[in-house]
């Protein structure tokens, strides 16, 4: 079937409404990635080994199931609402239900039942997030045909989406969790945060579903599960991308996930962190998040001055530098600032660490946008090489890699928590004040021993930096789909469609 209105570029309104889904997707993702593991280990008192192992296994299983779900989406019929938007809406509703279940404070006494419940909810959340995520990115070639339009729509989606995660983290750490925890307990505080994130998902995904149309009716061949794994052999650039992106995103994800632990446990950052001084983590999030916003705003201008492949390659080194800077400031300096009070030193340390994390968030944004465009180009390359097009399946690879990276990050952090013997937090109701108070179960107090911190910091940073560098060297050696070579391939693909 020929494409429709191939000469038209994507409008500003369509770009904006497509990007709205990013607010919802990143809201649910941030809620789970930042809060879920600490919620179970530190506040619900579940066994860190069991929880970590379960999350890692589920992430891997979810990643393997990812192509199967993508093939179902890819093989679905294109109806009045297009091929992808119905799946987005179904994914949003089901994901919200799973999200609320994940953060509901189950009060049963049996530890086995509590472990089983939260593990099942996490599995359900992962599957439903795939139903939401895959069609969003698979839509890109159907709403933006040129490389410039794809750059524009993906960068805008990433930019807008970053605010979804920022809103959840900021509201959670500075307002919802501290306020609700004081009056209703830490469990209901996390449930309230999950409810706020779920509302964002429904609202913003609905905007995308209602106001974004699939402009180009591109061919979508039926793909079997066996053929999915064969794509990595047929499409060498898909394999090259996967091998380089996986270690890189695993390193960045580990460095991102660990930040909440640093604020909770590191004494110089305020003892119980955001439970007592939630504003500190919020300020950190604002300052470090500016790097992501800055990159996404100026990405289009940047790639006009510097080749896109070089910008993407630079993100590997920026990430490594950002991790090393956070490591050095957070753990090595431990600045006291002369006669300044301890409270003043806390805020200065927060600002310094955030400034270092700015580089890390900048690299993450450059990589996210660049990788999304790369996957769109890889889809064209696959059609050029094999004569078959499978947007949903190939775009699902990015989600698959992200889930595998999350599994690796959770494993690294879980090992760090266990090896450092980080204490859980106990919830106590103060009858006189009429509110809940919190304290570490470890009688040693909020400041960990230097030996425990040495173990903890090793897992947090000394593992991710080499992963980023490994990803870069694979990218430089294996990936070549850019520049004139890609433009020639794209032109041939377009010519084929015109002749059909």
């Amino acid at each position: 079937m020929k494409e429709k209105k191939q000469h038209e570029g994507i409008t500003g309104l369509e770009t904006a409404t497509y990007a709205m889904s990013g607010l919802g997707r990143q809201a649910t993702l941030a809620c789970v990635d930042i809060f879920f593991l600490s919620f179970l280990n530190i506040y619900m008192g579940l066994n860190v080994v069991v929880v970590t192992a379960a999350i890692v296994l589920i992430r891997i299983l979810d990643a393997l199931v990812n192509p199967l779900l993508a093939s179902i989406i890819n093989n679905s019929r294109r109806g009045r609402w297009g091929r992808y938007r119905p799946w987005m809406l179904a994914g949003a509703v089901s994901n919200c239900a799973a999200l609320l279940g994940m953060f509901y404070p189950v009060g049963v006494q049996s530890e086995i039942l509590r472990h089983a419940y939260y593990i099942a909810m996490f599995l359900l959340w992962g599957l439903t997030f795939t139903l939401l995520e895959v069609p969003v990115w698979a839509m890109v070639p159907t709403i933006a045909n040129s490389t410039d339009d794809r750059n524009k729509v993906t960068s805008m989606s990433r930019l807008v989406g970053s605010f979804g995660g920022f809103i959840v983290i900021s509201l959670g750490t500075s307002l919802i969790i501290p306020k609700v925890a004081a009056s209703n307990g830490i469990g209901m505080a996390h449930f309230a945060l999950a409810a706020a994130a779920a509302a964002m998902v429904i609202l913003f995904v609905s905007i995308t579903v209602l106001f974004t149309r699939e402009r180009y009716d591109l061919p979508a061949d039926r793909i079997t599960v066996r053929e999915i794994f064969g794509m990595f052999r047929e499409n060498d650039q898909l394999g090259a991308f996967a091998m380089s992106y996986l270690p890189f995103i695993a390193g960045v994800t580990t460095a991102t996930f660990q930040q909440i632990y640093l604020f909770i446990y590191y004494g110089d950052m305020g003892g119980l962190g955001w439970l007592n001084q939630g504003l500190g983590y919020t300020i950190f999030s604002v300052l470090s998040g500016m790097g992501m916003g800055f990159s996404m705003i100026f990405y289009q201008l940047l790639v006009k001055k510097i080749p896109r492949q070089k910008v993407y390659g630079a993100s590997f080194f920026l990430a490594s530098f950002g991790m090393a800077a956070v490591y050095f400031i957070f753990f090595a300096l431990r600045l006291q600032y002369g006669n300044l009070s301890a409270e003043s030193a806390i805020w200065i340390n927060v600002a310094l660490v955030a400034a270092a994390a700015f580089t890390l968030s900048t690299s993450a944004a450059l990589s996210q946008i660049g990788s999304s465009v790369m996957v769109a180009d890889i889809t064209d390359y696959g059609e050029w090489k094999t004569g078959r097009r499978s947007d949903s399946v190939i775009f699902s690879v990015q989600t698959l890699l992200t889930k595998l990276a999350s599994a690796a990050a959770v494993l690294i952090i879980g090992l760090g928590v266990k090896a450092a013997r980080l204490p859980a937090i106990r919830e106590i109701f103060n009858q006189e004040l009429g509110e809940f108070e919190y304290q570490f179960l470890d009688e040693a107090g909020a400041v960990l021993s230097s030996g425990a911190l040495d173990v903890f910091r090793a897992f947090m940073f000394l593992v991710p930096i080499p992963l980023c560098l490994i990803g870069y060297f694979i990218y430089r050696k294996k990936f070549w789909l850019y520049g004139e070579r890609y433009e020639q391939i794209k032109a041939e693909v377009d010519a084929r469609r015109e002749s059909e």
Side-chain angles (χ1 to χ4, degrees), residues 46-83:
L46 299 188
N47 186 288
V48 64
V49 175
V50 174
V51 170
T52 300
I55 291 179
V56 169
L57 290 176
I58 289 173
R59 288 282 192 184
I60 295 174
L61 175 63
D62 191 15
L64 295 176
V65 173
N66 203 77
L68 174 61
L69 293 177
S71 68
I72 295 174
I73 295 172
N74 186 82
N75 296 338
S76 61
R77 297 175 61 87
R78 189 178 190 276
R80 177 183 177 186
W81 289 87
R83 177 176 289 111

Side-chain angles (χ1 to χ4, degrees), residues 252-279:
V252 171
T253 302
T254 300
T256 301
F257 284 9
Q258 54 79 32
Q259 292 169 1
I260 191 69
Y261 283 88
L262 300 180
F263 273 81
I264 291 174
Y265 284 106
Y266 197 65
D268 288 350
M269 285 298 179
L272 289 178
W274 50 266
L275 280 175
N276 290 339
Q277 300 186 35
L279 186 58

